[in-house]
Amino acid sequence: MQRSNNGALLLLSAFFVVFFFHSFFKARADYIPPAKLDGFPYGNRPLKWDTILIEAFYDPVCPDSRDSWPPLKQALRYYGSSVSLVVHLLPLPYHDNAFVASRALHIVNDLYPSATFPLLEWFFKYQEKFYGAQTRNLSRASIIDDIVKSATKVVGRSYYNDIKVGFNNSKTDLETRVSFKYAASRGVYGTPFFYVNGFLLADTGSSIDFNGWRKALDPLVGTKS
Ligand SMILES: *[C@@H]1O[C@H](CO)[C@@H](O)[C@H](O)[C@H]1NC(C)=O
Ligand SMILES: *[C@@H]1O[C@H](CO)[C@@H](O)[C@H](O)[C@H]1NC(C)=O
């Protein structure tokens, strides 16, 4: 009798331990792994196994990310359907407003995916007004307000409320955290970082220009055909 009581107690304790850990880690389990792959596919190109995949890790308020975008875009035009691109966001902790800017991109991507890249380009163009020194005296609320208004200009008037509410929705906060965690899990510690078919593009750093892309991709495109 004593023995089976102990057994029941042990089972009960085990149950509570499992229950406790389950509850404790549930918050994390809710979004890692995420239900949907991280990243914004560029253009109307379907991602296919037989295209060369570039993954760019960008911070919307990073000057090096901004500078690397035109040559990458040129390369995408040049190679057409044999190369596709997915952009991942890495909001860097030492870039003020990187997280809210990245969150704006997730909000807009959820509402209207084809406006994602126009908004990214808008951030690249006007990112200086979100730098630390320029926003030192501004409240977080006024910066978000500015971003909502600006994103509305890019996406369209009718989206104003949805974008505004998007900043109040924990889903978009989680999506932005997932982007950060995804980049970290890939070993990305700065922006821009480029991966080609899953491998880090070596020795290019932020300075890769169109010729750099030609050098990296010509041999791969050649071996495909
Ligand atoms: C921020 O406020 C300080 C103190 O009032 C002022 O000296 C500084 O110029 C302001 N900076 C900006 C970017 O407005
Ligand atoms: C944001 O969410 C809070 C709590 O859910 C709510 O009280 C508030 O009205 C919301 N604000 C906006 C702008 O949607």
Side-chain angles (χ1 to χ4, degrees):
M1 190 66 194
Q2 186 62 29
R3 200 185 192 89
S4 82
N5 259 351
N6 278 347
L9 206 65
L10 210 67
L11 203 68
L12 207 65
S13 317
F15 173 78
F16 275 111
V17 166
V18 167
F19 180 78
F20 172 76
F21 274 97
H22 179 75
S23 315
F24 190 77
F25 288 110
K26 194 170 180 310
R28 289 174 58 186
D30 279 345
Y31 60 106
I32 299 291
K36 186 175 158 286
L37 279 173
D38 182 74
F40 308 133
Y42 178 69
N44 294 318
R45 312 164 194 219
L47 295 179
K48 290 191 297 193
W49 278 115
D50 59 353
T51 62
I52 292 159
L53 176 65
I54 301 175
E55 291 163 282
F57 289 84
Y58 277 159
D59 175 338
V61 293
C62 155
D64 290 337
S65 296
R66 172 196 64 197
D67 295 345
S68 76
W69 174 236
L72 173 53
K73 214 172 147 183
Q74 191 185 353
L76 291 167
R77 264 198 309 272
Y78 177 81
Y79 290 105
S81 60
S82 36
V83 175
S84 42
L85 169 73
V86 172
V87 164
H88 298 282
L89 299 177
L90 171 54
L92 290 166
Y94 45 85
H95 285 158
D96 289 348
N97 306 311
F99 195 88
V100 282
S102 299
R103 190 171 176 184
L105 286 161
H106 275 291
I107 291 168
V108 163
N109 186 65
D110 288 345
L111 292 170
Y112 186 23
S114 57
T116 309
F117 280 87
L119 183 60
L120 179 65
E121 289 184 333
W122 184 89
F123 273 116
F124 282 161
K125 189 167 176 192
Y126 297 106
Q127 62 173 217
E128 287 177 22
K129 70 178 192 162
F130 298 107
Y131 290 173
Q134 282 81 338
T135 54
R136 195 186 312 277
N137 297 339
L138 301 178
S139 73
R140 191 175 174 77
S142 78
I143 293 168
I144 289 177
D145 201 46
D146 185 5
I147 289 179
V148 169
K149 283 183 184 137
S150 306
T152 302
K153 270 189 217 144
V154 176
V155 181
R157 282 219 150 274
S158 57
Y159 288 92
Y160 176 77
N161 247 341
D162 289 335
I163 296 171
K164 194 175 155 126
V165 169
F167 272 103
N168 204 25
N169 180 345
S170 61
K171 176 175 170 256
T172 65
D173 178 66
L174 294 184
E175 285 168 347
T176 318
R177 293 183 192 204
V178 163
S179 288
F180 171 82
K181 287 167 195 282
Y182 181 74
S185 77
R186 294 286 300 276
V188 178
Y189 53 83
T191 55
F193 260 49
F194 300 105
Y195 280 77
V196 173
N197 283 348
F199 285 85
L200 185 62
L201 198 60
D203 297 331
T204 52
S206 51
S207 59
I208 185 163
D209 58 8
F210 179 62
N211 287 332
W213 283 114
R214 289 288 309 272
K215 247 203 286 194
L217 298 178
D218 272 357
L220 306 183
V221 173
T223 57
K224 295 262 171 188
S225 49

